[in-house]
Structures are given as structure tokens and as C-alpha cells.
Amino acid sequence: MESVSILNADLHCHSVVSDGTMTPEDLAARAAANGVELWALTDHDEIGGQQRAAAAAHAHGMKYLTGTEISVTFAGETVHIVGLGFDADDPRMKQGLEETRGGRGARAREIAAGLAQVGIKDAYEGALKYVGNPELISRTHFARFLVDIGACKDTNEVFRKFLTDGKPGYVPHRWASLRHAVQWITDAGGIAVIAHPARYKFTANEEYALFTEFKAHGGRGVEVVTGSHTAAEYVKYADTAREFGLAASRGSDFHSPDESHTDLGKLPYLPGQLTPVWELLADRIR
Ligand code: AMP
Ligand code: MN
Ligand code: MN
Ligand code: MN
């Protein structure tokens, strides 16, 4: 029998319901065309696209897992926790996500005020033009606006020059706690997964604390193969998964054909000798 690792699963991407540029339906079509067999849409702090995504997945013959990517504050940094296979009607989960989205409007106004200080006017109104979901204005929408007015050549440059710590459009923000995010997902029947761990600017001790506390709260997975990791980081986090007894996930983190360097379904397979998250979620796959 083929190893269960050999499955074209893509369990991380974004639609217009958060900061992606494609609809759930168009993403499903693209995933299927790229050979994805098991798919999850994981919009930031939002599950409003889940029904559409599941229906579109089924129309294209793909299996589907519910998904979201929750913004969490841990040790003063923003960490992303992907939830997979939860009940999308769970009231506590819905309320938790709503609270997490809550501060985004005020934060966006502060981002715009910071940008105004360096001569970029009306960025709030500008960013809003790119927003598909009024509850989910994100830094990505500001980045698209700044590229379109010619302030930077691409969104990466916008983040580097304007939207990260110490830059004029950076606003520190308090998201959900790690404990709550893991609990919401787990209590709704899903599993919590640490997203793209190589992206956080943690010391070795802080990273160890993240994984230890995540496990203690009931977290069960880690992204090993993601569009945010290098090949060396696949190996590193495969080791971390084994060390902490976590299942491994795979996802492109696709946002847009113009911005994302990793397309849906185009990542390497998971390394062997890891438990894929979809093995733990067999009874949640639709
Ligand atoms: P927010 O949730 O509003 O803080 O926005 C975070 C989003 O910005 C992430 O999910 C990414 O899509 C995007 N992002 C973060 N850092 C970068 C970067 N350096 N370059 C491009 N996009 C980024
Ligand atoms: Mn994003
Ligand atoms: Mn993320
Ligand atoms: Mn993401």
C-alpha cells in the first residue's frame, strides 16, 4: 500500500474572505486543476467561506477539511495557529473568531495614521478598496494599495519598509491567546496546527516554550511542508514534529497568483515517518 504521506493535500490558503485575491470557488478550481486531492481553505480569523469552499471542493471531486488560521499573541509576537476539521457551526469557535477579528478596524485606522506621518495619505480608504470582507482588513490590503500607488515595487517591499516592527505603518496588536485558539479548535472537534514555525523571530528557548505550551493546551500538529519554509526547514521541523509527538501538515499558504511564489498543490510531499494531520482527521474529512 502507498504511504499515507503521498497525498496531494493542501491545507493552507486564503480567499477574498480574508486577504487572498480569489473567491473560494476559483481557488477550488485552481487546486483541483493542480491535482489537489484533499483541500482546506484557511482564511485568517474567519470561517465565512467554509460552506462555499466545501461545496466547490466536492464539485471538483476533492475531499475537504474545514479550516481557519487564527492570529495569536505569544511572547510578544504574532503566531498563527491553523485549525482543521472543526465543526464550522460551533458557537464558541464562531464567537472566538469574531472577537479575534474585532480590533482590526481600529488597528487599520492607526496603520493609516502612521502612514500619513510619512506622507502616504488616505491609506485607510485606499486599503478598503481591496477588502473583500469588511471585518477583515489586514496589512496585506494596505500592502496592495501601496504597490498600486507606486510607493513600492511589490508587497514584500511594503512589509519591509512600512508594515513591520519599527516601521511607520506598524501597529502592535493583541490577538487571541494560544490557549484559547487551541481550545476553540479542539473543543469544536478539530485539530490545532502551528503554522509556518520558521517564520517567527523566536530564540530557541522561546520556540521550545511555544511548542511545549501548544502541546500542553492540546495542540496536535505542525506545518512541516509550507510555502514559507525552505527545504532545510522541512527537515528541521520534521525533527521538531517527532520530538514533540506532533502530526505534520502540508499547505501552500497561497494568497494570489500575482503574489504567492508557491501555487496550490505544488509543494513536495511530506517526509516519511511522520504522521500526517489527515490521518488524525480521517473521520472529519468530507
Ligand atoms: P495581519 O493579519 O493584518 O497582520 O496581516 C498578516 C498577513 O500579511 C499575513 O497573513 C501575510 O499574508 C502577509 N504578510 C506578512 N508578512 C509579509 C511579508 N513580509 N511579505 C508579504 N506579505 C506578508
Ligand atoms: Mn495572509
Ligand atoms: Mn500565516
Ligand atoms: Mn496563511
Side-chain angles (χ1 to χ4, degrees):
M1 204 183 92
E2 270 193 338
S3 158
V4 287
S5 300
I6 309 299
L7 178 76
N8 195 343
D10 194 322
L11 305 181
H12 190 150
C13 68
H14 301 273
S15 76
V16 289
V17 174
S18 64
D19 62 347
T21 62
M22 293 173 67
T23 61
E25 289 79 9
D26 288 346
L27 284 170
R30 190 181 185 99
N34 287 352
V36 172
E37 297 161 279
L38 173 65
W39 182 51
L41 171 67
T42 56
D43 278 310
H44 296 284
D45 309 323
E46 192 34 294
I47 52 178
Q50 291 303 306
Q51 277 194 355
R52 289 168 63 188
H58 295 152
H60 287 283
M62 293 186 292
K63 300 284 189 193
Y64 191 76
L65 280 168
T66 53
T68 187
E69 181 177 21
I70 305 182
S71 312
V72 157
T73 301
F74 181 84
E77 284 279 334
T78 299
V79 166
H80 286 168
I81 300 296
V82 164
L84 296 171
F86 51 83
D87 170 9
D89 293 321
D90 183 84
R92 188 68 195 90
M93 173 89 174
K94 289 206 300 209
Q95 193 199 330
L97 293 175
E98 196 178 318
E99 287 164 12
T100 308
R101 291 193 296 273
R104 281 185 180 269
R107 171 189 186 237
R109 298 256 180 213
E110 283 187 64
I111 291 174
L115 293 172
Q117 299 259 323
V118 294
I120 296 165
K121 294 191 186 60
D122 302 323
Y124 179 78
E125 294 73 16
L128 267 189
K129 285 190 256 164
Y130 300 82
V131 168
N133 171 1
E135 281 187 48
L136 215 118
I137 181 162
S138 108
R139 283 185 295 165
T140 312
H141 301 112
F142 282 93
R144 289 183 187 137
F145 169 66
L146 265 67
V147 171
D148 284 353
I149 61 169
C152 290
K153 68 174 185 338
D154 60 26
T155 52
N156 263 320
E157 187 184 340
V158 182
F159 274 88
R160 204 167 61 243
K161 291 190 172 162
F162 293 102
L163 297 178
T164 41
D165 200 357
K167 300 299 157 63
Y170 181 74
V171 174
H173 192 76
R174 193 146 193 97
W175 302 106
S177 69
L178 181 65
R179 173 196 298 276
H180 285 145
V182 174
Q183 272 176 1
W184 298 332
I185 296 163
T186 309
D187 291 353
I191 77 165
V193 176
I194 297 177
H196 43 63
R199 278 216 342 226
Y200 311 124
K201 294 183 175 40
F202 285 140
T203 63
N205 279 343
E206 287 166 338
E207 185 180 78
Y208 188 85
L210 170 66
F211 277 84
T212 305
E213 289 189 33
F214 174 75
K215 272 282 280 193
H217 296 318
R220 298 184 68 192
V222 58
E223 284 185 344
V224 171
V225 176
T226 119
S228 303
H229 284 181
T230 63
E233 287 161 350
Y234 301 160
V235 176
K236 174 176 175 188
Y237 288 99
D239 285 346
T240 308
R242 280 188 284 263
E243 180 186 348
F244 284 90
L246 294 170
S249 192
R250 174 181 189 262
S252 57
D253 207 355
F254 182 81
H255 284 70
S256 159
D258 300 327
E259 295 163 15
S260 299
H261 53 87
T262 309
D263 207 339
L264 287 156
K266 296 292 186 185
L267 292 159
Y269 289 118
L270 282 182
Q273 295 171 316
L274 294 173
T275 304
V277 286
W278 49 90
E279 205 174 291
L280 304 182
L281 288 164
D283 63 345
R284 309 293 302 180
I285 295 174
R286 297 289 180 265

